[in-house]
Structures are given as structure tokens and as C-alpha cells.
Amino acid sequence: QLAAKLEGVEVNLPAQANEEDTLFGSVTNADVAEALAKAGHEVDKHQIELEEHIKQLGRYEVPVRFYGGVTATVKVWVVRA
């Protein structure tokens, strides 16, 4: 049920970046969890399956895994702060 609510949700994550769109630092699963919480979706950061930390501006499809093998995909836009 939570997975169905989350499927297709989009969140913006502002981040500092240089002229080549490379972030100063990176976006982690905890950052994604915080952005989802601000949008009204409480998700534990351990459920967010980032293959690696995000280091570039852009749009990312991020899987969120729930109990029983259910997965929802959220769209994360990393935008210039």
C-alpha cells in the first residue's frame, strides 16, 4: 500500500554544484529520505536503494524497497541550489 502511494512520486533536492554540474559533496539515501518526508512520505533511509551516492545534477530513478520484496520507484531531481 505504501509502495503504491510512493510509485512515481517526484521530489526536488537542491544541491551546490560547479559549472560542470558536479556536486560539492553528494546526495545520499538519507537526503532522499528527508526530501520524501518533506513531501509527506515517511520512508526509512535503509529502504532507499541508491547504487552509489549521487554526484551530478540531474534526474534519477531511485528504488525504495518494502517488506515482502515490494519496490516503488521515485524520481529524484537533483537541482542547483
Coordinates of all heavy atoms in Angstrom, one line a residue:
Q1 N 0.8 -1.2 0.0 CA 0.0 0.0 0.0 C 0.9 1.3 0.0 O 0.6 2.2 -0.8 CB -0.9 0.0 1.2 CG -2.1 1.0 1.1 CD -3.1 0.8 2.2 OE1 -2.9 0.0 3.1 NE2 -4.1 1.6 2.1
L2 N 1.9 1.3 0.9 CA 2.8 2.4 0.9 C 3.5 2.5 -0.5 O 3.8 3.6 -1.0 CB 3.8 2.3 2.0 CG 3.4 2.7 3.4 CD1 4.5 2.4 4.4 CD2 3.1 4.2 3.4
A3 N 3.9 1.3 -1.0 CA 4.6 1.3 -2.3 C 3.8 1.9 -3.4 O 4.3 2.7 -4.2 CB 5.0 -0.1 -2.6
A4 N 2.5 1.6 -3.4 CA 1.6 2.2 -4.4 C 1.5 3.7 -4.3 O 1.5 4.4 -5.3 CB 0.2 1.5 -4.3
K5 N 1.5 4.2 -3.1 CA 1.5 5.7 -2.9 C 2.7 6.3 -3.3 O 2.7 7.4 -3.8 CB 1.3 6.0 -1.4 CG -0.1 5.9 -0.9 CD -0.2 6.6 0.5 CE -1.4 6.1 1.2 NZ -1.4 6.6 2.6
L6 N 3.9 5.6 -3.2 CA 5.2 6.2 -3.5 C 5.5 6.1 -5.0 O 6.3 6.9 -5.5 CB 6.3 5.5 -2.7 CG 6.8 6.1 -1.5 CD1 8.0 5.3 -0.9 CD2 7.2 7.6 -1.7
E7 N 5.0 5.1 -5.6 CA 5.3 4.9 -7.0 C 5.1 6.1 -7.9 O 4.0 6.7 -7.9 CB 4.5 3.7 -7.6 CG 4.9 3.3 -9.0 CD 6.3 2.7 -9.1 OE1 6.7 1.9 -8.2 OE2 7.0 3.1 -10.0
G8 N 6.2 6.6 -8.5 CA 6.1 7.7 -9.4 C 6.2 9.1 -8.7 O 6.1 10.1 -9.4
V9 N 6.3 9.1 -7.4 CA 6.5 10.4 -6.7 C 7.8 11.1 -7.2 O 8.8 10.4 -7.4 CB 6.5 10.1 -5.2 CG1 7.0 11.4 -4.4 CG2 5.1 9.8 -4.7
E10 N 7.7 12.4 -7.3 CA 8.9 13.2 -7.7 C 9.2 14.1 -6.6 O 8.4 14.8 -6.1 CB 8.6 13.9 -9.0 CG 8.4 13.0 -10.2 CD 8.5 13.8 -11.5 OE1 9.0 14.9 -11.6 OE2 7.9 13.2 -12.5
V11 N 10.5 14.2 -6.3 CA 11.0 15.2 -5.3 C 12.2 16.0 -5.9 O 13.0 15.4 -6.7 CB 11.4 14.6 -4.0 CG1 10.2 14.0 -3.2 CG2 12.4 13.5 -4.1
N12 N 12.3 17.2 -5.5 CA 13.5 18.0 -5.9 C 14.4 18.1 -4.7 O 14.0 18.3 -3.6 CB 13.0 19.5 -6.2 CG 12.4 19.6 -7.6 OD1 12.6 18.7 -8.4 ND2 11.7 20.7 -7.8
L13 N 15.7 17.9 -5.0 CA 16.7 18.0 -4.0 C 17.7 19.1 -4.4 O 18.5 18.9 -5.3 CB 17.4 16.7 -3.9 CG 17.2 15.9 -2.6 CD1 17.7 14.5 -2.8 CD2 17.7 16.5 -1.4
P14 N 17.7 20.3 -3.8 CA 18.7 21.3 -4.2 C 20.1 20.9 -3.6 O 20.2 20.4 -2.5 CB 18.1 22.6 -3.5 CG 16.9 22.2 -2.8 CD 16.7 20.7 -2.8
A15 N 21.1 21.2 -4.5 CA 22.5 20.9 -4.1 C 23.4 21.9 -4.7 O 23.1 22.4 -5.8 CB 22.8 19.5 -4.5
Q16 N 24.5 22.2 -4.0 CA 25.5 23.1 -4.6 C 26.3 22.3 -5.6 O 26.7 21.2 -5.4 CB 26.5 23.5 -3.5 CG 25.8 24.3 -2.3 CD 25.4 25.7 -2.7 OE1 26.0 26.3 -3.6 NE2 24.3 26.2 -2.1
A17 N 26.6 23.0 -6.8 CA 27.3 22.3 -7.8 C 28.2 23.3 -8.6 O 27.9 24.5 -8.6 CB 26.3 21.7 -8.8
N18 N 29.2 22.8 -9.2 CA 30.1 23.7 -10.0 C 29.5 23.9 -11.4 O 28.5 23.4 -11.8 CB 31.5 23.1 -10.0 CG 31.7 21.8 -10.7 OD1 30.8 21.4 -11.5 ND2 32.8 21.1 -10.5
E19 N 30.3 24.5 -12.3 CA 29.8 24.8 -13.7 C 29.6 23.5 -14.5 O 28.9 23.5 -15.4 CB 30.8 25.7 -14.4 CG 31.0 27.1 -13.8 CD 32.0 27.1 -12.6 OE1 32.9 26.3 -12.6 OE2 31.7 27.9 -11.7
E20 N 30.3 22.5 -14.1 CA 30.2 21.2 -14.9 C 29.1 20.3 -14.3 O 28.9 19.1 -14.6 CB 31.5 20.4 -14.9 CG 32.6 21.0 -15.7 CD 33.4 22.0 -15.0 OE1 33.8 21.8 -13.8 OE2 33.7 23.1 -15.6
D21 N 28.2 20.9 -13.4 CA 27.1 20.2 -12.8 C 27.5 19.1 -11.8 O 26.8 18.2 -11.5 CB 26.1 19.6 -13.8 CG 25.4 20.7 -14.6 OD1 25.5 21.9 -14.2 OD2 24.9 20.4 -15.7
T22 N 28.8 19.2 -11.4 CA 29.3 18.2 -10.4 C 29.0 18.8 -9.0 O 29.3 19.9 -8.7 CB 30.8 17.9 -10.6 OG1 31.0 17.4 -11.9 CG2 31.3 16.9 -9.5
L23 N 28.4 18.0 -8.1 CA 28.1 18.4 -6.8 C 29.3 18.6 -5.9 O 30.3 17.9 -6.0 CB 27.1 17.4 -6.1 CG 25.8 17.1 -6.9 CD1 25.0 16.2 -6.0 CD2 25.0 18.3 -7.2
F24 N 29.2 19.6 -5.0 CA 30.2 19.7 -4.0 C 29.7 18.8 -2.9 O 28.7 19.2 -2.1 CB 30.2 21.2 -3.4 CG 30.6 22.2 -4.5 CD1 29.8 23.3 -4.8 CD2 31.8 22.0 -5.2 CE1 30.2 24.2 -5.7 CE2 32.2 22.9 -6.2 CZ 31.4 24.0 -6.4
G25 N 30.2 17.6 -2.7 CA 29.7 16.6 -1.9 C 28.8 15.7 -2.7 O 29.0 15.5 -3.9
S26 N 27.8 15.0 -2.0 CA 27.0 14.1 -2.8 C 25.6 14.0 -2.1 O 25.4 14.4 -1.0 CB 27.7 12.7 -2.8 OG 27.8 12.2 -1.5
V27 N 24.7 13.4 -2.8 CA 23.4 13.1 -2.3 C 23.3 11.7 -1.8 O 23.6 10.8 -2.6 CB 22.3 13.4 -3.3 CG1 20.9 13.0 -2.9 CG2 22.3 14.9 -3.7
T28 N 22.9 11.4 -0.6 CA 22.8 10.1 0.0 C 21.4 9.6 0.1 O 20.5 10.4 0.0 CB 23.5 10.1 1.3 OG1 22.8 10.8 2.2 CG2 25.0 10.6 1.3
N29 N 21.2 8.4 0.5 CA 19.9 7.8 0.8 C 19.2 8.6 1.9 O 18.0 8.8 1.9 CB 19.9 6.3 1.0 CG 20.9 5.9 2.0 OD1 21.7 6.7 2.5 ND2 20.8 4.6 2.4
A30 N 20.0 9.1 2.9 CA 19.4 9.9 4.0 C 18.8 11.2 3.4 O 17.7 11.6 3.9 CB 20.4 10.2 5.0
D31 N 19.5 11.8 2.4 CA 19.0 13.1 1.8 C 17.7 12.8 1.1 O 16.8 13.6 1.1 CB 20.0 13.6 0.9 CG 21.3 14.0 1.5 OD1 21.3 14.6 2.7 OD2 22.4 13.8 1.0
V32 N 17.6 11.7 0.4 CA 16.4 11.3 -0.3 C 15.3 11.1 0.6 O 14.1 11.5 0.4 CB 16.7 10.1 -1.2 CG1 15.4 9.6 -1.9 CG2 17.7 10.4 -2.3
A33 N 15.6 10.4 1.7 CA 14.5 10.1 2.8 C 14.0 11.4 3.3 O 12.8 11.5 3.5 CB 15.1 9.2 3.9
E34 N 14.9 12.3 3.6 CA 14.5 13.6 4.1 C 13.6 14.4 3.1 O 12.6 15.0 3.5 CB 15.7 14.5 4.5 CG 15.4 15.7 5.2 CD 16.7 16.5 5.5 OE1 17.7 15.9 5.9 OE2 16.7 17.7 5.4
A35 N 13.9 14.4 1.9 CA 13.1 15.0 0.8 C 11.8 14.4 0.7 O 10.7 15.1 0.6 CB 13.9 15.0 -0.5
L36 N 11.7 13.1 0.8 CA 10.4 12.4 0.7 C 9.6 12.7 2.0 O 8.4 12.9 1.9 CB 10.7 10.8 0.7 CG 11.1 10.3 -0.7 CD1 11.6 8.9 -0.6 CD2 10.0 10.5 -1.7
A37 N 10.2 12.8 3.1 CA 9.5 13.2 4.4 C 8.9 14.5 4.2 O 7.7 14.7 4.6 CB 10.4 13.1 5.6
K38 N 9.6 15.5 3.7 CA 9.1 16.8 3.5 C 7.9 16.8 2.5 O 7.0 17.7 2.6 CB 10.2 17.8 2.9 CG 11.2 18.2 4.0 CD 12.2 19.1 3.4 CE 13.3 19.4 4.4 NZ 14.5 20.1 3.8
A39 N 7.9 15.9 1.6 CA 6.8 15.7 0.7 C 5.6 14.9 1.3 O 4.7 14.6 0.6 CB 7.3 15.1 -0.6
G40 N 5.8 14.5 2.5 CA 4.7 13.8 3.2 C 4.8 12.2 3.1 O 3.8 11.5 3.3
H41 N 6.0 11.7 2.7 CA 6.2 10.3 2.6 C 7.3 9.8 3.6 O 8.5 10.0 3.3 CB 6.5 9.9 1.2 CG 5.5 10.3 0.2 ND1 4.3 9.7 -0.1 CD2 5.5 11.4 -0.7 CE1 3.6 10.3 -1.0 NE2 4.3 11.3 -1.4
E42 N 6.9 9.3 4.7 CA 7.9 8.8 5.7 C 8.5 7.5 5.2 O 7.8 6.5 5.1 CB 7.3 8.6 7.0 CG 6.9 9.9 7.7 CD 8.0 10.8 8.1 OE1 9.1 10.3 8.4 OE2 7.9 12.0 8.1
V43 N 9.8 7.5 4.9 CA 10.5 6.3 4.5 C 11.8 6.2 5.2 O 12.5 7.2 5.4 CB 10.8 6.3 3.0 CG1 11.6 5.1 2.5 CG2 9.5 6.4 2.2
D44 N 12.1 5.0 5.7 CA 13.4 4.8 6.4 C 14.5 4.8 5.4 O 14.4 4.3 4.3 CB 13.4 3.4 7.1 CG 14.7 3.2 7.9 OD1 15.7 2.8 7.3 OD2 14.6 3.5 9.1
K45 N 15.6 5.5 5.7 CA 16.7 5.7 4.7 C 17.3 4.3 4.3 O 17.8 4.2 3.2 CB 17.8 6.6 5.3 CG 18.6 5.9 6.5 CD 19.7 6.9 7.0 CE 20.5 6.2 8.1 NZ 21.5 7.1 8.6
H46 N 17.1 3.3 5.1 CA 17.7 2.0 4.7 C 16.8 1.3 3.7 O 17.3 0.3 3.0 CB 17.8 1.1 6.0 CG 18.7 1.6 7.0 ND1 18.3 2.3 8.1 CD2 20.1 1.7 7.0 CE1 19.4 2.7 8.8 NE2 20.5 2.3 8.1
Q47 N 15.6 1.8 3.4 CA 14.8 1.3 2.4 C 15.1 1.8 1.0 O 14.7 1.3 0.0 CB 13.3 1.5 2.7 CG 12.8 0.8 3.9 CD 11.3 1.3 4.2 OE1 11.1 2.3 4.8 NE2 10.4 0.5 3.7
I48 N 15.9 2.9 1.0 CA 16.2 3.6 -0.3 C 17.5 3.0 -0.8 O 18.5 3.0 -0.2 CB 16.4 5.1 0.0 CG1 15.0 5.7 0.4 CG2 16.9 5.8 -1.3 CD1 15.1 7.1 1.0
E49 N 17.4 2.5 -2.0 CA 18.5 1.7 -2.6 C 19.2 2.5 -3.7 O 19.0 2.3 -4.9 CB 17.9 0.4 -3.2 CG 17.3 -0.5 -2.1 CD 17.1 -1.9 -2.5 OE1 17.0 -2.2 -3.7 OE2 17.2 -2.7 -1.5
L50 N 20.1 3.4 -3.2 CA 21.0 4.1 -4.2 C 22.1 3.2 -4.4 O 22.8 2.7 -3.5 CB 21.5 5.4 -3.5 CG 20.6 6.6 -3.6 CD1 21.3 7.8 -2.9 CD2 20.3 7.0 -5.0
E51 N 22.4 2.9 -5.7 CA 23.6 2.1 -6.0 C 24.9 2.8 -5.5 O 25.8 2.1 -5.0 CB 23.7 1.8 -7.5 CG 22.6 0.8 -8.0 CD 22.7 0.6 -9.5 OE1 23.8 0.8 -10.1 OE2 21.7 0.2 -10.0
E52 N 24.9 4.1 -5.7 CA 26.0 4.9 -5.2 C 25.5 6.3 -4.9 O 24.5 6.7 -5.4 CB 27.2 4.9 -6.1 CG 26.9 5.3 -7.5 CD 28.0 5.1 -8.5 OE1 28.8 4.1 -8.3 OE2 28.2 5.9 -9.4
H53 N 26.2 7.1 -4.2 CA 25.8 8.4 -3.9 C 25.7 9.2 -5.2 O 26.6 9.0 -6.1 CB 26.8 9.1 -2.9 CG 26.7 8.5 -1.5 ND1 27.6 8.8 -0.5 CD2 25.9 7.5 -1.0 CE1 27.3 8.1 0.5 NE2 26.3 7.3 0.3
I54 N 24.8 10.1 -5.3 CA 24.6 10.9 -6.5 C 25.6 12.1 -6.4 O 25.7 12.8 -5.4 CB 23.2 11.5 -6.5 CG1 22.2 10.3 -6.7 CG2 23.0 12.5 -7.7 CD1 20.7 10.6 -6.5
K55 N 26.3 12.3 -7.5 CA 27.4 13.3 -7.5 C 27.2 14.3 -8.6 O 28.1 15.2 -8.9 CB 28.8 12.6 -7.6 CG 29.1 11.8 -6.4 CD 30.5 11.1 -6.7 CE 31.1 10.4 -5.5 NZ 30.2 9.7 -4.6
Q56 N 26.1 14.2 -9.4 CA 25.8 15.1 -10.5 C 24.4 15.6 -10.4 O 23.5 15.0 -9.9 CB 25.9 14.4 -11.9 CG 27.3 13.9 -12.3 CD 28.2 15.0 -12.8 OE1 29.3 15.2 -12.4 NE2 27.7 15.7 -13.8
L57 N 24.2 16.8 -11.0 CA 22.8 17.3 -11.1 C 22.1 16.4 -12.1 O 22.7 15.8 -13.0 CB 22.8 18.8 -11.6 CG 23.4 19.9 -10.7 CD1 23.4 21.2 -11.4 CD2 22.7 19.9 -9.4
G58 N 20.8 16.4 -12.0 CA 20.0 15.6 -13.0 C 18.9 14.8 -12.3 O 18.5 15.1 -11.2
R59 N 18.2 14.0 -13.1 CA 17.1 13.2 -12.7 C 17.5 11.8 -12.5 O 18.1 11.2 -13.3 CB 16.0 13.3 -13.8 CG 14.8 12.5 -13.5 CD 13.8 12.7 -14.7 NE 12.7 11.8 -14.6 CZ 12.7 10.6 -15.3 NH1 13.7 10.2 -16.0 NH2 11.6 9.9 -15.2
Y60 N 17.1 11.2 -11.4 CA 17.4 9.8 -11.0 C 16.2 9.1 -10.6 O 15.3 9.6 -9.9 CB 18.5 9.8 -9.9 CG 19.7 10.5 -10.2 CD1 19.9 11.9 -10.0 CD2 20.8 9.8 -10.7 CE1 21.1 12.5 -10.4 CE2 22.0 10.4 -11.1 CZ 22.1 11.8 -10.9 OH 23.3 12.4 -11.3
E61 N 16.1 7.8 -11.0 CA 15.1 6.9 -10.6 C 15.6 6.1 -9.5 O 16.6 5.4 -9.6 CB 14.6 6.1 -11.8 CG 14.0 6.9 -12.9 CD 13.0 6.2 -13.7 OE1 12.8 5.0 -13.5 OE2 12.3 6.9 -14.5
V62 N 15.0 6.2 -8.3 CA 15.6 5.6 -7.1 C 14.6 4.6 -6.6 O 13.4 4.9 -6.3 CB 15.9 6.7 -6.0 CG1 16.4 6.0 -4.7 CG2 16.9 7.7 -6.5
P63 N 15.0 3.3 -6.4 CA 14.1 2.3 -5.9 C 14.0 2.4 -4.4 O 15.0 2.7 -3.7 CB 14.7 1.0 -6.3 CG 16.1 1.3 -6.8 CD 16.3 2.8 -6.9
V64 N 12.8 2.2 -3.9 CA 12.5 2.1 -2.4 C 11.9 0.7 -2.2 O 10.9 0.4 -2.7 CB 11.5 3.2 -2.0 CG1 11.3 3.1 -0.5 CG2 12.0 4.6 -2.4
R65 N 12.6 0.0 -1.4 CA 12.2 -1.4 -1.1 C 11.4 -1.6 0.2 O 11.8 -1.0 1.2 CB 13.5 -2.3 -1.1 CG 13.1 -3.8 -1.0 CD 14.3 -4.7 -1.3 NE 15.0 -4.4 -2.5 CZ 14.6 -4.8 -3.7 NH1 13.5 -5.5 -3.9 NH2 15.4 -4.6 -4.8
F66 N 10.3 -2.3 0.1 CA 9.5 -2.5 1.2 C 9.5 -4.0 1.6 O 10.0 -4.8 0.8 CB 8.0 -2.1 0.9 CG 7.9 -0.6 0.7 CD1 8.0 0.0 -0.5 CD2 7.6 0.2 1.8 CE1 7.9 1.3 -0.7 CE2 7.5 1.6 1.7 CZ 7.6 2.1 0.4
Y67 N 8.9 -4.3 2.7 CA 8.9 -5.7 3.1 C 8.2 -6.6 2.1 O 7.2 -6.1 1.5 CB 8.2 -5.8 4.5 CG 9.0 -5.1 5.6 CD1 8.4 -3.9 6.1 CD2 10.2 -5.5 6.0 CE1 9.1 -3.2 7.1 CE2 10.9 -4.7 7.0 CZ 10.4 -3.6 7.5 OH 11.0 -2.8 8.4
G68 N 8.6 -7.8 2.0 CA 7.9 -8.7 1.1 C 8.4 -8.6 -0.4 O 7.7 -9.0 -1.3
G69 N 9.5 -7.8 -0.5 CA 10.1 -7.7 -1.9 C 9.4 -6.7 -2.8 O 9.6 -6.6 -4.0
V70 N 8.5 -5.9 -2.2 CA 7.8 -4.9 -3.0 C 8.7 -3.7 -3.1 O 9.3 -3.2 -2.2 CB 6.4 -4.5 -2.3 CG1 5.7 -3.4 -3.1 CG2 5.6 -5.7 -2.1
T71 N 8.7 -3.1 -4.4 CA 9.6 -2.0 -4.6 C 8.8 -0.9 -5.3 O 7.9 -1.2 -6.2 CB 10.8 -2.4 -5.6 OG1 11.5 -3.4 -4.9 CG2 11.7 -1.2 -5.8
A72 N 9.0 0.3 -4.9 CA 8.4 1.5 -5.6 C 9.6 2.3 -6.2 O 10.7 2.4 -5.6 CB 7.6 2.3 -4.7
T73 N 9.4 3.0 -7.3 CA 10.4 3.8 -7.9 C 10.0 5.3 -7.7 O 8.9 5.7 -8.2 CB 10.7 3.5 -9.3 OG1 11.0 2.1 -9.4 CG2 11.8 4.3 -9.9
V74 N 10.9 6.1 -7.1 CA 10.6 7.5 -7.0 C 11.6 8.3 -7.9 O 12.7 7.8 -8.2 CB 10.7 8.0 -5.5 CG1 9.7 7.4 -4.7 CG2 12.1 7.8 -5.0
K75 N 11.2 9.4 -8.4 CA 12.1 10.2 -9.3 C 12.7 11.3 -8.4 O 11.9 12.1 -7.8 CB 11.3 10.8 -10.4 CG 10.8 9.7 -11.4 CD 9.9 10.2 -12.5 CE 9.5 9.2 -13.4 NZ 8.6 8.2 -12.9
V76 N 14.0 11.4 -8.4 CA 14.7 12.4 -7.6 C 15.3 13.4 -8.6 O 16.2 13.0 -9.4 CB 15.7 11.8 -6.7 CG1 16.5 12.9 -6.0 CG2 15.0 10.8 -5.7
W77 N 15.0 14.7 -8.5 CA 15.6 15.7 -9.3 C 16.6 16.4 -8.5 O 16.2 17.0 -7.5 CB 14.6 16.7 -9.9 CG 13.6 16.2 -10.9 CD1 12.5 15.5 -10.6 CD2 13.8 16.2 -12.3 NE1 11.9 15.2 -11.8 CE2 12.7 15.6 -12.9 CE3 14.8 16.8 -13.1 CZ2 12.5 15.5 -14.2 CZ3 14.6 16.7 -14.5 CH2 13.5 16.0 -15.1
V78 N 17.9 16.3 -8.8 CA 18.9 17.0 -8.1 C 19.2 18.3 -8.9 O 19.6 18.3 -10.0 CB 20.2 16.2 -8.0 CG1 21.3 17.0 -7.2 CG2 20.0 14.8 -7.3
V79 N 18.8 19.4 -8.2 CA 18.8 20.7 -8.9 C 19.8 21.7 -8.2 O 20.1 21.5 -7.1 CB 17.4 21.3 -8.9 CG1 16.4 20.5 -9.7 CG2 16.9 21.5 -7.5
R80 N 20.2 22.6 -9.0 CA 21.2 23.6 -8.4 C 20.6 24.4 -7.3 O 19.5 24.9 -7.5 CB 21.7 24.5 -9.6 CG 22.9 25.3 -9.2 CD 23.4 26.2 -10.4 NE 23.7 25.4 -11.5 CZ 24.9 24.8 -11.7 NH1 25.8 24.9 -10.8 NH2 25.2 24.1 -12.8
A81 N 21.2 24.5 -6.2 CA 20.7 25.3 -5.1 C 20.9 26.8 -5.3 O 21.8 27.2 -5.9 CB 21.4 24.8 -3.8

